[in-house]
Amino acid sequence: MQIRDLPYPDPGTPDARSGPRFLYWLGRNQLRGQLKSLSWGLLHQLGVAGLPLGAGLAVQAVVDRSGARLALAGVVIALFGAAITVGDTMLHRAAVTNWITAASRVQQLLSRKTAELGSALTRRVAAGEVVAVSTGDVEKIGWFVEALSRFLAAAVAIVVVCVGLVLYLPSIGAVVAIGMPVLALAVLPLLPRATRRADVQRDKAGRATELAADTVAGLRVLRGIGGEELFLTRYREASQEVREAAVRSARMWALISAIQVFLPGVLLITVVWYGALLAGDGRISVGELVTVYSAVTLLLFPLRHFEEIAMAYSFSRPSATRAARVLRLERTSYEDERGGLDDARPTGDLYDPATGMLARAGRLTAVVCGDPDAAGRLAERLGGHAAEDEKSPSVLLGSVALDDLPLDAARASVLVQDKDPVLLSGTLTELLDVPASGAVEPKDALDAAQCDDVLAALGQASVDGTGDPLRSRITERGRSLSGGQRQRLALARSLVADPEVLVLDEPTSAVDSHTEARIAEGVRRLRSGRTTVVFASSPLLLDRADTVVFVHDGKVAATGGHRELLRDDPRYLNVVTRQTDDETENQDGTGGGLVPTPLATREQLAEIEESA
C-alpha cells in the first residue's frame, strides 16, 4: 500500500452497518500497512525503552572506574539511538501513509455513492452532512487509522519493558508492572463522558455546516427577499453552540490529560523514593537505580499514546457513523434475490407502478403535476433512483426493473435532466463531449435547443480570437450565462447523449414563450422514435406531446391530449392555467358541466399555431 497507488482501482465494498464496523473494515483493508507501521513503531519504542539500560551501564562503569564497560555502554546507547532514529523516521512515513490512504479510500467510497445516487442523495441526507463527512470526518477517520498502529507498538513496548524490569530488578520492577496498567486504565471511567461531549460537538458542528451550506447556496434568493440577516443570525447562534460544545469537550480532555500527567508523576516519585531506600541499604546498585528511573521516565512517552488513541477513537467513531450512514444508502429500493441483470440495455415502455404513469416507447409524453417537489421525485424515480419509501416498487423499462440493472446500464438507458442542471467549466466542445450513441450531432442538438444566441455570445467572448463558440470557455457552473442560456445548453447536452429514454424536468422554465415553442418542436423532431418524458405545465410544450399524463396526489388522474384534458378535467385546467377552483366555477357560470378554455389558454394555443 503506497500513496502512489492512489486512487484505488476499486476501493472495495465497505461494512457500513455501524461506525465501529466501518473502522474495523478500514483497518482490515490496510492490514499490510498497519503491520508495517507496527514493526517500525516497535523498533522505535523498544529503542527508547533500551536507552535506560545503556545509561545504567554507563553510570555503573563510571562508579567502578571501568573503561571497557563504559565503551560497551557507549556502543549500546549508539545502537539504541540508531534504532530510535530509523524507527521514528520510518514509523512516521508508514503512519502518514496509512492516514492518507484511509482518507482517500473513504473519499472514493463517498464519491462513488454520490455518483450512484445523484441528486436523490441530498433528499435522503442533508447536503451539509455530506459536506461534513467528505471533509472533516474523513480526516478524523484517517487519524484513528494512523494512530492505531502507533498505539499497538506503544502497548507492546510497555509490556516488554515491564516484564524486563521484573526480571532485571524484581523489587522495583513489580511496582512498575503494577503501576503501569493502573496509569493506562485510570482515565477509562472518564472516556464515556468525553465521548458523549465529543459527539454533541460533532453533531452541532454538522448542523452548523449544513446551515452554512444552505445559506451560501440560497444567498441570491436571500438577498432578493432581504433574508440575509435572519440566516446570518441563525448561523451565529449555531456557531456559538458549537463553540460552547467544543469548550465543554476540551475541558474533559484537559482533565484526562491532567490525570495522565499527575499519576505518572506519582509513580515516578514512588519509584525514586523506594529505589533510593533500596540503594541506601545496599540492596541495589546506583547503576540499577538509574536504569529503573530512566526506564520509568521514558515509559511516560509510550503511555501518552493511550490518551491519543482514546481521543482518536472518540472523535472518529461519530465521524465513521456518519460516513457509514451515507454509505448504507442503496440505489435499489428493494432486495432482489436475482442479484441484478447483465449489461444489456432494455427497451420498451417506461412504467412507474407507484403512480401508474406510462410513457409509450418512441413517443413524447408530457407529465403534469401540481406539486413541483413531487414532480422532481417522480423524475428521479423514472431515472432508476431509489424512492424515499424503500418498499416502493421499481420503475420498469419494458419488462425489466431499473433497480435490477447495473448502474452503468441504467444510466445509459434512462437520462434525467433535473430543474437545475450543472454546467462544468471548460469549452463548449468539452461540455458536449458526453457518452452518446453517436446518432445526434452536437450541431443538431444545439439547433433543436435553440442555442443560436448562446453561440453568438460565446463567439464574441472567445479568448483565442477565432470567434469559434465551440472553443470558447464556459465558467464554473456557467455563471457567465443567463439562466435560459444555461438551461438550453444543458438540454443540448442531453440531446447529444441520445439515451433510450430522456426525462426532462421543466427544461424550458427560463425561456420566453416563442423560444419555448421552437424548442418543443425541435425536441419532438430530434427525438423522433425515442422515448421522451417532459415534466412541464406550459401549454406550449403540452400541446406538442403525443400524450399528456396528469398526476394528482401521487397517482395518475387522467391521460389524453392537452386540449382534451383542458376541456374534460377541471383539476388539470387549474394546474395548467394556475387558477383556483372559484375562478374555474366563475368561468363555467354554473359551477357544473364542461369547463370552456379560458382566454389565456386560447391566446397560448394561437401562439402555438402561429409558431408552428
Side-chain angles (χ1 to χ4, degrees), residues 183 261-272:
L183 296 182
V261 171
F262 174 74
L263 293 183
V266 172
L267 177 63
L268 188 60
I269 293 173
T270 302
V271 169
V272 172

Side-chain angles (χ1 to χ4, degrees), residues 78-94:
L79 290 175
F80 282 122
I84 292 173
T85 302
V86 174
D88 190 26
T89 301
M90 300 307 296
L91 169 63
H92 181 73
R93 178 187 178 93

Side-chain angles (χ1 to χ4, degrees), residues 412 415 417 428-449 451 470 488-500 502 504 523 526-527 530:
L415 174 63
Q417 177 180 306
L428 184 55
T429 299
E430 293 170 341
L431 177 70
L432 300 178
D433 185 16
V434 295
S437 66
V440 177
E441 293 295 329
K443 181 180 182 303
D444 296 332
L446 291 168
D447 288 342
C451 295
L470 294 178
R488 282 176 283 163
L489 285 180
L491 175 59
R493 180 179 58 186
S494 299
L495 293 174
V496 168
D498 190 37
E500 181 66 29
L502 177 59
L504 304 172
V523 170
L526 199 62
R527 293 286 299 172
R530 291 289 207 181

Side-chain angles (χ1 to χ4, degrees), residues 448-450 488 491 508 511 515-524:
Q450 297 299 305
R488 282 176 283 163
L491 175 59
T508 59
V511 301
T515 304
E516 185 178 36
R518 291 194 293 269
I519 289 175
E521 190 59 38
V523 170
R524 180 184 178 89

Side-chain angles (χ1 to χ4, degrees), residues 29-97:
N29 276 270
Q30 296 189 232
L31 185 59
R32 182 178 177 183
Q34 292 289 352
L35 292 176
K36 183 185 296 184
S37 181
L38 175 61
S39 300
W40 292 118
L42 285 174
L43 178 62
H44 170 64
Q45 297 287 357
L46 294 179
V48 172
L51 281 179
L53 177 61
L57 290 175
V59 170
Q60 193 61 44
V62 172
V63 172
D64 296 339
R65 299 180 180 277
S66 173
R69 280 190 290 167
L70 183 61
L72 176 62
V75 172
V76 171
I77 291 175
L79 290 175
F80 282 122
I84 292 173
T85 302
V86 174
D88 190 26
T89 301
M90 300 307 296
L91 169 63
H92 181 73
R93 178 187 178 93
V96 171
T97 299

Side-chain angles (χ1 to χ4, degrees), residues 388-467:
E388 294 181 353
D389 181 7
E390 295 185 354
K391 296 182 180 179
S392 181
S394 172
V395 171
L396 302 176
L397 181 56
S399 59
V400 178
L402 289 182
D403 285 352
D404 291 345
L405 288 173
L407 181 61
D408 292 342
R411 291 284 172 83
S413 299
V414 182
L415 174 63
V416 178
Q417 177 180 306
D418 60 21
K419 297 177 184 177
D420 187 22
V422 176
L423 301 183
L424 302 179
S425 59
T427 65
L428 184 55
T429 299
E430 293 170 341
L431 177 70
L432 300 178
D433 185 16
V434 295
S437 66
V440 177
E441 293 295 329
K443 181 180 182 303
D444 296 332
L446 291 168
D447 288 342
Q450 297 299 305
C451 295
D452 293 342
D453 63 318
V454 185
L455 296 177
L458 290 176
Q460 292 175 358
S462 176
V463 296
D464 58 5
T466 62

Side-chain angles (χ1 to χ4, degrees), residues 225-246:
I225 64 175
E228 294 172 88
E229 190 59 36
L230 173 62
F231 274 78
L232 286 175
T233 301
R234 291 179 180 177
Y235 181 73
R236 291 190 188 102
E237 294 173 353
S239 64
Q240 288 302 311
E241 292 179 1
V242 174
R243 183 189 64 79
E244 294 172 1

